[in-house]
Amino acid sequence: MRVVLAEDVYLLREGLTHLLRAHGIEIVAAVDTGEALLDALARHQPHAAIVDVRLPPSYTDEGVRAAIEARTRQPGFPVLVLSQYVEQIYARELLADGAGGVGYLLKDRVFDTGHFVDALRRVAAGGTAMDPQVISKLLGGTSPLHPVASLSPREREVLQLMAQGRSNAAIAGQLNISEGTAGKHIAAIFTKLGLEATDDTNRRVLAVLAFLNHARPGPPPSAGP
């Protein structure tokens, strides 16, 4: 896998580069601004990008804006976004096109090497990888009028795991149910969310997007590194 990395903190950028190379992932470019990210993507045509939400010069949302621009130029281009804080609006915006290939992790997850590399591979394959803390925060803002509110407690558990990018088998293992039962819950989720029969990968992405959109908007993110 060939990856472009956008991270302005030198030590973290170098650490991620060495970590990923140790897992057989080629870092074709490591940059520190959104503009440099877009240039590197055009030049190297990688399989995915890892992007810090906040990049110079203002350290607000340059990274995520560059990631969204990259997906505008190349729909569905896989992007794994790293953030210091839970900012769910960015996760919603990245998934808004319904194309998949999106991950949103807190930087603390980088220290769990297996989890981080697995998330990157899922995103590169067109799946999703939402941080559990992002999902937990979203659950606190459920609107009773949103279709997600009609899901049973078990279906909500399944949808949370889908948002993390888990497969049917992984969901079954996590919840101590059979894979067939997990599949039935997922089918029920698709029905309740009004997702018509089509490619299951696409429906999983749309279900996750519906989940992200069910929360009431939070306060705007504060500036600062």
Side-chain angles (χ1 to χ4, degrees):
M1 188 193 309
R2 302 170 65 253
V3 172
V4 167
L5 171 64
E7 166 58 59
D8 67 292
V9 178
Y10 174 78
L11 289 178
L12 182 54
R13 187 168 66 245
E14 289 298 298
L16 285 172
T17 297
H18 288 294
L19 182 155
L20 293 170
R21 284 176 177 166
H23 286 266
I25 296 169
E26 181 183 0
I27 304 299
V28 296
V31 301
D32 60 1
T33 68
E35 183 178 356
L37 168 66
L38 294 174
D39 289 343
L41 294 179
R43 183 180 309 114
H44 296 285
Q45 297 293 305
H47 298 112
I50 300 171
V51 185
D52 187 354
V53 164
R54 301 182 178 192
L55 294 174
S58 71
Y59 296 96
T60 54
D61 62 356
E62 284 90 343
V64 75
R65 293 300 164 202
I68 291 171
E69 176 61 25
R71 286 171 63 83
T72 299
R73 297 180 183 184
Q74 184 180 335
F77 176 73
V79 175
L80 176 57
V81 171
L82 301 179
S83 179
Q84 191 70 36
Y85 311 101
V86 176
E87 296 165 342
Q88 65 263 42
I89 187 172
Y90 295 150
R92 291 199 297 267
E93 290 185 29
L94 285 163
L95 273 171
D97 58 12
V102 170
Y104 187 100
L105 297 180
L106 294 181
K107 285 187 175 180
D108 288 348
R109 305 297 172 192
V110 171
F111 298 106
D112 183 343
T113 304
H115 178 88
F116 176 62
V117 173
D118 182 56
L120 175 60
R121 295 191 186 281
R122 288 202 307 269
V123 168
T128 59
M130 295 292 113
D131 194 283
Q133 286 193 37
V134 175
I135 296 169
S136 294
K137 186 167 183 178
L138 288 170
L139 280 176
T142 304
S143 167
L145 301 178
H146 195 281
V148 168
S150 71
L151 301 181
S152 70
R154 176 62 86 185
E155 288 163 353
R156 287 165 65 87
E157 288 181 314
V158 170
L159 184 52
Q160 288 179 64
L161 293 171
M162 288 171 62
Q164 294 177 36
R166 305 292 185 89
S167 66
N168 287 23
I171 291 171
Q174 180 75 23
L175 299 179
N176 294 314
I177 58 178
S178 71
E179 190 169 344
T181 299
K184 290 179 180 178
H185 285 310
I186 291 170
I189 290 168
F190 290 156
T191 299
K192 290 183 179 180
L193 296 183
L195 302 177
E196 298 180 359
T198 180
D199 176 73
D200 269 357
T201 299
N202 181 254
R203 283 203 292 177
R204 290 176 84 95
V205 172
L206 293 175
V208 172
L209 179 58
F211 175 72
L212 293 171
N213 281 336
H214 88 276
R216 300 185 185 95
S222 58

